[in-house]
Amino acid sequence: MSFRNLILKLKFKYIIAVTAITCIVYVLGLFTHLLEEDFYLKFTYPYNVNIEKLLYQLHNNESVETTPINVYNYKFLSNCRQKCTNDHKNQIKLVYIVKSSLDNFKHRNAIRQTWGYERRFSDVQIRTVFILGIGNNADLQSKINNEYLKYRDIVQINFEDSYFNNTIKTMMGFKWVINFCYNSNFYMFVDDDYYISTRNILRFIRNPTNYPQYLTNNELDDFELPSDVRLYAGYVFFSSPHRHLFSKWYVSLHEYPYHLWPPYVTAGAYILTRKALFDMYHGSFYTKHFRFDDIYLGLIAKKVAIEPFHCEHFHFYKQTYTDGNYKFTIASHGYESPSELLKVWNRQKSIGNA
Ligand SMILES: *[C@@H]1O[C@H](CO)[C@@H](O)[C@H](O)[C@H]1NC(C)=O
Ligand SMILES: *[C@@H]1O[C@H](CO)[C@@H](O)[C@H](O)[C@H]1NC(C)=O
């Protein structure tokens, strides 16, 4: 090989290498990161309005001076309006709004027999509904209709039930509360692949900041959360947007330009007081739609000035099972298997933790 050819060959290799590296850097989104704006200095998210005044107006059923920019106008095909009519002397304490997938019949049945069981405690009013969108399979739908007739706990809404429509599912869940179930103290939104301990939730909502220490420390035990507090609690993340192109969660700068998300509670399990839910629902009218539901709620929370409350006993990653590990567990992700949920929950119930 002549000297000249050798140089050409090396040059060629060099060009290939540079091109490859550039492509990789591009795909990983490293350039995009450089172009992000500073969340702490620059953050704003449409729509810019005086939200406090609007929340007040909406809460008091006055006409609002600014037309909402974002309204979820899907239709309730079944609304379970009888669910929260309450003829008991006790106020409804807790409503589970379970975000379920159309064909997860077994999950729903396991939940009805475990943490979603409404008569778990004779002196605490609990309600459970499952939120579903729609599909295009007639057989599946007729099974869901039968399930509804049997249990009367399925709230079905006419949007396509798919992962990127989770924000619609969530916000229609909020809307369902406002329209049909506004008389509970607490609302817990949960995915259908979670282990939940209702007993520990009831302990947590009495005194969130001192849970679980107050259970064993008498000095901390003279507190009960006032009902007008705006609590939005669960496993809180502080994270940055995914910028690599092949991520399921890829977000462009155009969609969201900042280097961090506002703090948000992971979507699998979170609890809200009525006041927090009302403010966030009304806040959504003035918060531009975002397709990830947990991020969207984080954006709304920031807008209406609610700080998400972190509790490590909501496990975003599956909590490894031992009897002791689950003593204070409120929620744990990773229960794709209904039979495992039944086993673990029954065991925890028998030792007083569920
Ligand atoms: C709110 O106002 C509408 C009419 O603007 C009325 O129909 C409705 O009953 C009011 N609701 C409450 C709770 O006051
Ligand atoms: C979300 O639901 C709407 C209404 O059914 C539908 O038009 C849209 O295609 C769905 N989007 C996704 C990403 O599934």
Side-chain angles (χ1 to χ4, degrees):
M1 190 186 294
S2 75
F3 184 64
R4 195 186 135 82
N5 278 351
L6 182 65
I7 293 288
L8 275 178
K9 198 171 167 192
L10 284 177
K11 251 191 186 163
F12 185 66
K13 273 193 177 158
Y14 176 76
I15 289 168
I16 296 271
V18 168
T19 311
I21 289 168
T22 311
C23 285
I24 290 168
V25 167
Y26 178 73
V27 167
L28 292 180
L30 300 182
F31 294 134
T32 318
H33 281 300
L34 292 177
L35 298 172
E36 289 171 333
E37 296 194 48
D38 191 301
F39 173 79
Y40 296 108
L41 300 176
K42 295 275 183 64
F43 181 83
T44 63
Y45 191 81
Y47 190 69
N48 277 323
V49 277
N50 178 351
I51 195 81
E52 267 171 53
K53 190 163 182 190
L54 293 166
L55 291 182
Y56 178 86
Q57 290 169 336
L58 287 163
H59 212 84
N60 293 290
N61 206 9
E62 294 171 7
S63 60
V64 281
E65 59 193 24
T66 311
T67 316
I69 60 150
N70 185 39
V71 179
Y72 295 96
N73 257 337
Y74 297 92
K75 221 175 106 194
F76 292 100
L77 304 174
S78 59
N79 60 33
C80 300
R81 69 163 67 238
Q82 82 294 345
K83 202 32 122 173
C84 299
T85 51
N86 185 19
D87 43 19
H88 296 266
K89 63 179 190 314
N90 293 328
Q91 155 88 15
I92 298 177
K93 187 83 172 179
L94 175 67
V95 178
Y96 285 117
I97 294 141
V98 186
K99 291 178 290 163
S100 190
S101 298
L102 297 174
D103 53 2
N104 282 352
F105 299 98
K106 285 190 176 143
H107 292 69
R108 292 193 285 277
N109 273 333
I111 290 167
R112 289 184 186 107
Q113 292 166 49
T114 57
W115 51 267
Y117 182 56
E118 295 183 346
R119 286 185 291 274
R120 172 77 187 85
F121 300 103
S122 60
D123 57 342
V124 185
Q125 294 287 318
I126 295 168
R127 300 288 186 273
T128 302
V129 291
F130 298 91
I131 301 258
L132 299 179
I134 51 173
N136 48 18
N137 178 332
D139 283 348
L140 188 61
Q141 185 56 45
S142 91
K143 273 169 132 183
I144 292 169
N145 293 346
N146 290 337
E147 189 184 1
Y148 171 74
L149 291 176
K150 187 158 176 201
Y151 299 106
R152 304 268 171 191
D153 60 3
I154 303 221
V155 171
Q156 201 173 16
I157 302 152
N158 75 338
F159 64 88
E160 185 188 329
D161 198 295
S162 67
Y163 180 74
F164 283 120
N165 267 346
N166 260 337
T167 299
I168 296 178
K169 189 177 267 185
T170 295
M171 294 322 296
M172 288 305 291
F174 277 54
K175 189 169 189 172
W176 177 79
V177 169
I178 304 274
N179 288 345
F180 303 110
C181 189
Y182 43 78
N183 51 342
S184 172
N185 295 119
F186 294 89
Y187 298 90
M188 174 114 184
F189 287 75
V190 204
D191 287 352
D192 65 4
D193 58 350
Y194 264 74
Y195 163 90
I196 300 287
S197 160
T198 303
R199 188 183 280 281
N200 286 341
I201 288 179
L202 296 175
R203 289 167 167 161
F204 171 74
I205 59 186
R206 253 197 75 200
N207 190 342
T209 41
N210 289 315
Y211 177 84
Q213 299 82 353
Y214 87 86
L215 297 170
T216 47
N217 179 345
N218 289 336
E219 279 168 36
L220 296 172
D221 192 21
D222 60 354
F223 177 84
E224 183 143 1
L225 191 72
S227 62
D228 59 348
V229 164
R230 300 194 301 169
L231 179 74
Y232 163 44
Y235 188 99
V236 175
F237 262 126
F238 292 93
S239 63
S240 18
H242 284 212
R243 302 297 190 188
H244 42 274
L245 293 179
F246 295 116
S247 168
K248 181 181 179 185
W249 298 285
Y250 169 77
V251 171
S252 71
L253 286 174
H254 177 70
E255 201 175 0
Y256 185 85
Y258 307 103
H259 82 294
L260 284 176
W261 296 119
Y264 64 92
V265 182
T266 54
Y270 52 93
I271 193 155
L272 299 156
T273 51
R274 180 173 47 214
K275 181 105 175 68
L277 188 145
F278 270 67
D279 280 0
M280 287 172 70
Y281 178 68
H282 291 145
S284 76
F285 296 179
Y286 301 98
T287 310
K288 194 176 99 178
H289 176 79
F290 198 85
R291 64 200 152 103
F292 303 137
D293 54 341
D294 42 13
I295 306 274
Y296 186 60
L297 292 179
L299 291 163
I300 300 173
K302 185 148 176 64
K303 190 159 292 267
V304 302
I306 292 177
E307 199 177 319
F309 180 84
H310 178 69
C311 173
E312 62 183 6
H313 300 284
F314 290 75
H315 294 273
F316 175 65
Y317 304 102
K318 187 172 187 173
Q319 167 82 323
T320 314
Y321 189 79
T322 65
D323 283 353
N325 263 357
Y326 274 57
K327 188 168 166 57
F328 298 121
T329 294
I330 292 171
S332 174
H333 195 192
Y335 283 80
E336 289 84 16
S337 153
S339 59
E340 187 186 6
L341 172 65
L342 284 163
K343 205 173 101 199
V344 165
W345 190 86
N346 282 314
R347 172 68 188 154
Q348 284 298 314
K349 177 175 176 250
S350 74
I351 56 176
N353 304 330

